[in-house]
Amino acid sequence: GGVLAALIVFTALVPWAGRNRGVLGEWVFLTTRGGISLYDGVGPYATGASDLGDVKQSPEVAGLTELEWHRHFLAESFRAIREDPGRVFRLAVVKLRRTWNPVPNAEDYRSGLFRWVAAGWMIPIYGLAVVGVVVLIRGGRNVAISIHAPTGTKVVLLLLLPAIYFTILHCVFVGSVRYRLPAMPMIEILAAVAVAAWWVRPAKSVECGTRPR
């Protein structure tokens, strides 16, 4: 199944790579924006947020082709990582906080109302998701949840995989609440597990041939 999925993705990207071969002169299966995106996250002026306004206008990239632009910023990004890895690690912590911040990062959306609405929605989801993880790992048994602990652990790993992937990715690149969106449906499923385990109580059963007391 994994091989088939990889083959489908590769096949779907072939027309795009072919187009790039004709326009740029090289087979590019993904994007030529990877270099500047990485530079945005780890460059010497990186803050954890995105700010490319001045970078795009710098004289050193004036007149470069699209591929040269990509390679220039890729090389500068790796140089910044080598020269100060501690700063890159500290930025990763900032990006982690930005990505999973329960309130908006943008200044325009940090008023009292926006903050209360966002926090009032996200914090309970985060808390319930943690409870859902515990329920599945321990193994739940009631009307809504009936699962063995080993199976529950596998389900938790499957549901958390997108969150783990996007967290690692955006601890390197720029962090923003919008980048957690692909992982949120799975986080909300974990929260729903917690609600179901608490809300739906198991029905009392009576053994055959006995009278309930």
Side-chain angles (χ1 to χ4, degrees), residues 125-177:
I125 288 179
Y126 288 165
L128 288 170
V130 172
V131 175
V133 167
V134 174
V135 168
L136 289 174
I137 290 178
R138 294 181 59 183
R141 284 195 174 277
N142 61 19
V143 174
I145 307 295
S146 180
I147 193 169
H148 295 290
T151 304
T153 302
K154 293 178 182 178
V155 171
V156 167
L157 291 175
L158 179 65
L159 291 174
L160 288 181
L161 189 59
I164 294 170
Y165 167 77
F166 284 106
T167 297
I168 294 173
L169 183 67
H170 291 289
C171 279
V172 178
F173 292 89
V174 171
S176 173
V177 294

Side-chain angles (χ1 to χ4, degrees), residues 38-47 76-77 80 87 91:
L38 182 59
Y39 188 83
D40 196 18
V42 301
Y45 304 106
T47 63
E76 290 297 311
S77 299
R87 181 186 62 87
L91 279 173

Side-chain angles (χ1 to χ4, degrees), residues 60-74:
E60 58 188 17
V61 297
L64 295 183
T65 66
E66 189 172 332
L67 288 171
E68 290 170 342
W69 172 292
H70 166 69
R71 290 171 182 142
H72 168 80
F73 283 112
L74 201 60

Side-chain angles (χ1 to χ4, degrees), residues 143 201-207 213:
V143 174
R201 300 299 181 183
K204 294 182 178 180
S205 59
V206 178
E207 294 182 5
R213 296 180 182 181

